[in-house]
């Protein structure tokens, strides 16, 4: 009877917390760990699970080990800026004749220069470290090394740490995972890139590939893109909004790949993946260049017009 009463008290408090703003919610959650611990934890493979009180909860499969349960309102209260960055030049582009390519390459020397140039550009736009602008950033990367290495220099320049930086297990490039190659372990990524928390990895600790092909096929990639787009509009947007302060616009910086970026742009801007086809790129990006998209509270998204871009230096430049 006492245990049942304690759980009812906990659920009542969670219902009360859902009425608070994100900043107040986080403060109250931190102040009442014993009550929250009594609440049941959902076990779902979906990116998020709707609850009866109008909240959504990151399921176990969508959280890294040890990551606290995060509750959020189903709608955002303000627009969120999404900056999609393509990785710098892959080391597979600099191979000598006959040299075998890597399934998870690093960067060329030029790629490292591009990464450093990107970091300087981001420092100009969002610095100095510790400012409201820098604190309003949420950095998300593909689990592939060329993306993590590309955005790592930015993370270091802005002195961002875990809690602001995430490696997303479903953001790998098209066809780079399958039943014969399921990617790298979240624990290995965390060891090499300690600033990044891992999120949305498979239960086995590898990338979030859910298909049945030896190598991912187009319809599987479309499904994965839909899941990631939903995560960006919901959980990631809430996480970014909860970090924003000083009147700054919440910003998600997503470092991924050309093909997967093109798919996400189709889904976010056109509302569907039906128009996307591998090799037919509608939203091209050069290495270390970017798109800027506005995620609106009603679930829609628009490409930011250059004349309306708050940070005009985020626009793609020739020679990137």
């Amino acid at each position: 009877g006492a245990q049942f009463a304690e759980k009812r008290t906990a659920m009542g408090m969670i219902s009360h917390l859902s009425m608070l703003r994100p900043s107040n919610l986080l403060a109250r959650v931190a102040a009442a760990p014993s009550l929250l611990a009594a609440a049941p934890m959902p076990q779902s493979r979906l990116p998020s699970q709707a609850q009866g009180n109008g909240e959504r909860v990151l399921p176990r499969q969508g959280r890294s080990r040890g990551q606290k349960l995060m509750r959020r309102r189903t709608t955002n209260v303000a627009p969120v800026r999404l900056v999609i960055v393509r990785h710098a030049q892959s080391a597979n582009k600099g191979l000598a004749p006959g040299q075998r390519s890597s399934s998870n390459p690093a960067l060329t020397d030029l790629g490292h220069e591009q990464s450093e140039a990107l970091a300087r550009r981001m420092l100009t736009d969002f610095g100095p470290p510790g400012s409201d602008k820098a604190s309003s950033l949420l950095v998300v990367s593909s689990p592939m090394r060329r993306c993590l290495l590309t955005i790592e220099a930015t993370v270091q320049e802005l002195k961002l740490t875990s809690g602001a930086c995430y490696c997303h297990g479903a953001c790998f490039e098209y066809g780079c995972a399958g039943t014969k190659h399921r990617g790298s372990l979240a624990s290995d990524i965390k060891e090499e890139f300690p600033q990044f928390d891992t999120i949305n990895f498979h239960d086995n600790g590898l990338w979030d590939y859910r298909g049945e092909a030896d190598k991912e096929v187009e319809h599987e990639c479309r499904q994965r893109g839909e899941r990631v787009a939903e995560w960006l509009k919901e959980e990631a947007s809430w996480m970014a909004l909860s970090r924003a302060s000083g009147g700054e616009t919440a910003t998600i910086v997503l470092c991924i790949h050309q093909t997967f970026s093109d798919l996400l742009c189709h889904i976010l801007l056109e509302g569907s993946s039906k128009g996307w086809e591998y090799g037919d790129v509608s939203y091209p990006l050069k290495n270390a260049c970017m798109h800027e998209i506005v995620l609106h509270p009603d679930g829609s998204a628009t490409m930011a017009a250059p004349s309306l871009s708050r940070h005009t230096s985020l626009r793609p430049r020739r020679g990137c």
Side-chain angles (χ1 to χ4, degrees), residues 17-264:
L17 289 174
S18 69
M19 302 299 292
L20 299 174
R21 292 177 299 174
S23 59
N24 292 338
L25 172 59
L26 294 176
R28 298 292 184 89
V29 167
S34 60
L35 289 177
L36 289 178
M41 182 180 295
Q43 301 292 325
S44 168
R45 289 187 58 80
L46 295 174
S48 59
Q49 178 173 326
Q51 304 297 298
N53 59 3
E55 297 177 325
R56 298 182 81 87
V57 178
L58 285 178
R60 177 175 59 85
Q61 195 271 337
R63 302 192 307 273
S64 58
R65 293 177 182 176
Q67 184 179 347
K68 294 182 179 179
L69 180 67
M70 291 188 295
R71 295 183 173 268
R72 66 178 296 279
R73 300 296 297 274
T74 55
T75 57
N76 296 319
V77 297
V80 173
R81 180 190 295 111
L82 172 63
V83 179
I84 300 179
V85 181
R86 184 186 177 188
H87 62 78
Q89 188 180 67
S90 162
N92 281 345
K93 298 294 184 181
L95 299 177
Q99 191 174 0
R100 187 175 180 178
S101 63
S102 168
S103 62
N104 192 10
L107 300 177
T108 61
D109 290 342
L110 174 59
H112 284 290
E113 292 176 6
Q114 292 170 337
S115 172
E116 292 167 2
L118 173 68
R120 291 192 296 270
R121 185 166 157 185
M122 288 293 199
L123 181 61
T124 298
D125 292 328
F126 296 104
S131 65
D132 287 338
K133 284 184 180 180
S135 299
S136 298
L137 282 180
L138 180 74
V139 174
V140 182
S141 175
S142 158
M144 304 193 76
R145 295 187 71 239
R146 58 187 181 270
C147 289
L148 287 159
L149 288 168
T150 295
I151 205 65
E152 183 182 36
T154 295
V155 168
Q156 292 173 347
E157 283 283 357
L158 291 173
K159 294 181 172 51
L160 301 177
T161 59
S162 61
C165 309
Y166 290 88
C167 176
H168 194 295
C171 286
F172 53 89
E173 178 62 305
Y174 168 64
C176 288
T179 58
K180 288 190 174 181
H181 175 69
R182 294 188 176 273
S184 49
L185 286 167
S187 57
D188 291 342
I189 292 172
K190 182 66 176 176
E191 182 177 356
E192 185 176 2
F193 302 95
Q195 304 98 322
F196 289 82
D197 291 323
T198 55
I199 190 170
N200 284 85
F201 277 65
H202 194 276
D203 289 340
N204 60 15
L206 297 169
W207 300 350
D208 188 23
Y209 173 70
R210 304 184 189 182
E212 299 177 349
D214 290 348
K215 183 178 180 180
E216 185 182 51
V217 294
E218 286 192 26
H219 78 270
E220 293 174 342
C221 189
R222 286 191 182 94
Q223 293 171 354
R224 180 166 59 90
E226 296 283 358
R227 295 197 304 271
V228 172
E230 188 75 4
W231 181 82
L232 287 168
K233 291 190 291 184
E234 295 192 354
E235 278 78 18
S237 290
W238 175 77
M239 292 160 67
L241 285 166
S242 70
R243 293 184 55 79
S245 61
E248 294 296 331
T249 301
T251 302
I252 303 169
V253 176
L254 177 65
C255 188
I256 50 174
H257 312 264
Q258 172 65 93
T259 300
F260 196 59
S261 165
D262 188 53
L263 172 59
L264 284 179

